[in-house]
Amino acid sequence: MNSLFERGTGILCHISSLPNKYGIGTLGKEAYEFADYLKSAHVKYWQVLPLQQTGFGDSPYASVCCNSGNPYFIDLVALKDEGLLDDEELASCEMPQGKVNYTALFDVRYKVLRLAYARFNIRDAEFLKFVESGEFDDYAVFMSLKARYSGSFDTFPDSYKYRENLAIKEFKENNYKSEYCFWLFLQFVFKKQWLKLKAYVNSLGIKIIGDLPLYVAYDSSDVWANPEFFKLDENLKPTEVAGVPPDYFSPTGQLWGNPIYNWELMESDNYSWWISRIKKASEILDVIRLDHFRGLDRYYSIPATAETAETGEWKQGPALKLFMQIKRRLGNIPMIAEDLGVMDYSVEKLRQRTDLPGMKIILFAFDGKLSNPYLPRNIAENSVAYTGTHDNATCYGLLKRMTEEQFLVFKSRLRAELKLEDVHMPFKSREEAVLALCMCVLACKSDLAVLPIQDVLCLDDDARMNTPSTAEGNWQFRLSQMPTRQSAAILRKAIKEFNR
């Protein structure tokens, strides 16, 4: 791994998964307590999923604005302490323990955030400076229009849909206090709280890894404000959409539906939109994980009228040209390439030329093939090793579904790898095998080893974060309580043993 990274251990736990009594994890005291837990375990990296305001489907990978912060993560207790909420209003946001209920959350949270905004001084000097920066101007207008007209932006009245200057100016003026500044208030508070938390985490010697999704949602301020940078028709409807082709797991492929970038125009503009996006991400994250890295080399384009991903075709992406611009204009930004799935020589060549570490998933390693690139014996230093990611089953969930015969085969293969890594760890049960898998990740050559909190705590698939190609039941996992001192002690001992 290049010198921008330090050998160590990371824990993957999204902000939404933190425990509290308000229905979803926030940037409040539990986030600071989790950082303290990581510090006590000698963990050096905290990995989160995209922090953006979620859109359709509640996925952090489908945001209304790729640079926004999720208002659900705002610490309500801090708003009360600032005099923007009272005890009764704060209490109204309390929800039962358990998974995130996004429907209930939406109904309750925005009402209370509007009450806080009603007491906020929009003439505050710091807020005025934030407004005048224009950083979230497109977002605030877009969300104000959605509050007025609902639906997707392509159903807005034409003067707003096509962003006629006079119409937009008048709309903003007429809705300045009621809507426009409300949405800016949310971003102002989120950014302030996030940067405060990040400073605390960094002060503990911990760096934050965060995701940058390759694609943006169609119904977003990104597409509405920059239609020329996407493959759209004269009615601002997508002509091509993203996805992946059919494979062993999905016979018809995956039809994601995100609009495809107009890479030719972006290149003629020296990728300014991307440079701005990377710059903003680097201001709130220490390390950026580039989701779907292969789409920057070649991307899979599907006709927007298609019902499945079977009729798509591979097209050339920006490849090295984009990364050369990033380095020229921003310097060395620490990044990780999410290079999972079916890769080819061209993608691997791009990863090597950019010197970005790729990802290795240990759960994919035990198919019996000694050439498997995820086997610890085949993993090189310039990589990030995981037991699994947010898109996989938890270790315990996967092992629980195995038959006794399958588990016996798995145990023999895992023991062989542990022996090669000189790890002396006898195990019998499936719970013990989860710990052995975690040790296998920590012992491998990857300079960075990341464990999902679900695997650290040996949770089953009820704690799974996401199942790709399913529309329901995702992004809901939450910890019932903060991890214990005992789990920190076990982790700390292993980290010391494997020099992480």
Side-chain angles (χ1 to χ4, degrees):
M1 192 176 290
N2 62 49
S3 59
L4 292 173
F5 293 84
E6 178 186 5
R7 176 175 170 82
T9 303
I11 296 295
L12 169 57
C13 180
H14 195 34
I15 299 298
S16 65
S17 298
L18 297 173
N20 64 25
K21 56 185 179 182
Y22 300 110
I24 193 170
T26 72
L27 306 177
K29 70 179 181 67
E30 290 81 10
Y32 290 81
E33 290 173 6
F34 190 76
D36 291 338
Y37 163 78
L38 298 181
K39 174 66 174 177
S40 70
H42 294 183
V43 169
K44 295 178 182 175
Y45 295 87
W46 179 0
Q47 182 172 336
V48 297
L49 301 184
L51 297 166
Q52 290 84 354
Q53 178 177 330
T54 51
F56 179 75
D58 305 307
S59 168
Y61 294 87
S63 176
V64 295
C65 174
C66 70
N67 297 312
S68 63
N70 193 337
Y72 289 154
F73 296 165
I74 290 174
D75 177 23
L76 301 177
V77 176
L79 296 184
K80 174 187 170 295
D81 292 343
E82 293 169 22
L84 299 179
L85 294 176
D86 63 28
D87 290 333
E88 186 178 344
E89 291 159 350
L90 181 62
S92 73
C93 293
E94 293 183 13
M95 294 184 178
Q97 291 288 342
K99 295 185 176 183
V100 179
N101 182 335
Y102 285 101
T103 300
L105 195 64
F106 179 82
D107 290 342
V108 172
R109 189 59 59 87
Y110 279 102
K111 290 178 183 176
V112 171
L113 289 171
R114 284 187 181 275
L115 290 173
Y117 168 66
R119 297 187 181 104
F120 179 72
N121 177 18
I122 64 171
R123 295 180 180 84
D124 172 79
E126 191 179 0
F127 180 68
L128 283 176
K129 184 179 179 181
F130 181 82
V131 173
E132 289 165 3
S133 74
E135 181 180 1
F136 290 102
D137 179 65
D138 291 331
Y139 159 85
V141 175
F142 177 78
M143 293 306 299
S144 299
L145 284 165
K146 285 183 74 68
R148 169 73 65 86
Y149 296 105
S150 68
S152 178
F153 80 83
D154 62 321
T155 65
F156 291 169
D158 281 356
S159 59
Y160 301 138
K161 172 182 172 180
Y162 294 103
R163 291 173 55 86
E164 294 177 8
N165 289 337
L166 182 59
I168 294 295
K169 183 174 182 291
E170 290 179 350
F171 178 83
K172 188 160 75 171
E173 289 174 353
N174 292 336
N175 295 272
Y176 183 80
K177 187 174 181 181
S178 60
E179 286 293 332
Y180 178 78
C181 279
F182 167 67
W183 296 104
L184 289 178
F185 163 75
L186 297 183
Q187 294 307 312
F188 173 74
V189 173
F190 173 89
K191 191 169 185 179
K192 194 172 180 180
Q193 290 188 358
W194 171 257
L195 291 178
K196 182 181 177 182
L197 172 63
K198 181 179 181 294
Y200 180 77
V201 172
N202 291 162
S203 76
L204 300 177
I206 300 168
K207 294 181 179 179
I208 295 179
I209 303 171
D211 261 25
L212 190 82
L214 174 60
Y215 293 112
V216 300
Y218 169 65
D219 188 28
S220 65
S221 62
D222 308 299
V223 177
W224 174 71
N226 307 279
E228 69 277 10
F229 287 144
F230 299 87
K231 297 284 188 176
L232 309 177
D233 63 19
E234 64 275 9
N235 295 314
L236 303 187
K237 292 281 192 179
T239 57
E240 303 171 43
V241 295
V244 289
D247 58 20
Y248 174 81
F249 300 101
S250 179
T252 60
Q254 293 182 34
L255 184 62
W256 297 337
N258 308 77
I260 293 290
Y261 294 111
N262 183 344
W263 285 117
E264 296 83 3
L265 184 61
M266 285 186 159
E267 181 182 1
S268 70
D269 188 44
N270 291 321
Y271 303 105
S272 61
W273 185 88
W274 268 94
I275 298 298
S276 174
R277 188 183 182 199
I278 296 286
K279 183 176 185 294
K280 289 175 180 177
S282 69
E283 290 169 355
I284 63 170
L285 302 168
D286 297 306
V287 182
I288 297 170
R289 192 193 82 128
L290 289 172
D291 187 58
H292 197 57
F293 175 77
R294 79 141 307 131
L296 293 172
D297 179 58
R298 289 192 306 142
Y299 60 93
Y300 194 65
S301 177
I302 307 163
T305 54
E307 294 184 1
T308 72
E310 296 169 280
T311 57
E313 61 176 311
W314 289 104
K315 295 184 178 181
Q316 183 60 48
L320 194 60
K321 292 179 288 187
L322 172 60
F323 289 95
M324 290 175 66
Q325 285 291 338
I326 292 171
K327 185 166 185 178
R328 183 178 72 83
R329 297 169 65 179
L330 301 178
N332 290 321
I333 302 292
M335 293 188 284
I336 296 168
E338 187 273 284
D339 56 348
L340 304 176
V342 180
M343 298 294 118
D344 56 27
Y345 172 76
S346 180
V347 183
E348 179 57 20
K349 183 179 178 182
L350 176 62
R351 191 193 64 76
Q352 291 176 355
R353 293 187 70 181
T354 56
D355 197 30
L356 299 185
M359 292 175 58
K360 303 297 181 183
I361 309 301
I362 301 299
L363 278 183
F364 297 167
F366 302 103
D367 60 0
K369 297 177 182 177
L370 295 182
S371 61
N372 187 311
Y374 300 116
L375 275 174
R377 69 182 75 183
N378 298 326
I379 295 177
E381 287 83 357
N382 191 32
S383 62
V384 184
Y386 294 76
T387 44
T389 73
H390 63 275
D391 283 334
N392 305 135
T394 67
C395 286
Y396 189 45
L398 181 68
L399 298 181
K400 274 179 70 175
R401 292 198 302 275
M402 289 183 179
T403 64
E404 283 302 320
E405 183 178 355
Q406 289 172 330
F407 186 52
L408 281 172
V409 173
F410 172 83
K411 283 195 293 187
S412 67
R413 292 171 179 170
L414 176 56
R415 283 170 178 154
E417 288 306 305
L418 290 171
K419 185 176 180 179
L420 278 176
E421 297 298 314
D422 198 28
V423 178
H424 305 285
M425 185 177 180
F427 65 93
K428 292 182 180 180
S429 70
R430 294 169 202 242
E431 293 90 339
E432 291 169 341
V434 172
L435 182 58
L437 274 168
C438 291
M439 297 304 109
C440 198
V441 171
L442 295 176
C444 76
K445 296 183 185 70
S446 294
D447 283 340
L448 178 55
V450 179
L451 306 175
I453 192 64
Q454 293 95 319
D455 294 339
V456 173
L457 302 179
C458 196
L459 303 179
D460 63 20
D461 266 350
D462 192 49
R464 181 171 180 162
M465 194 62 162
N466 180 50
T467 303
S469 299
T470 61
E472 297 179 355
N474 298 315
W475 320 114
Q476 297 178 350
F477 162 68
R478 294 186 71 209
L479 292 166
S480 59
Q481 61 184 16
M482 201 59 63
T484 63
R485 291 181 180 179
Q486 182 183 10
S487 82
I490 294 170
L491 194 52
R492 181 170 61 248
K493 182 180 178 182
I495 287 171
K496 183 179 181 180
E497 180 180 350
F498 299 115
N499 191 30
R500 291 193 177 277

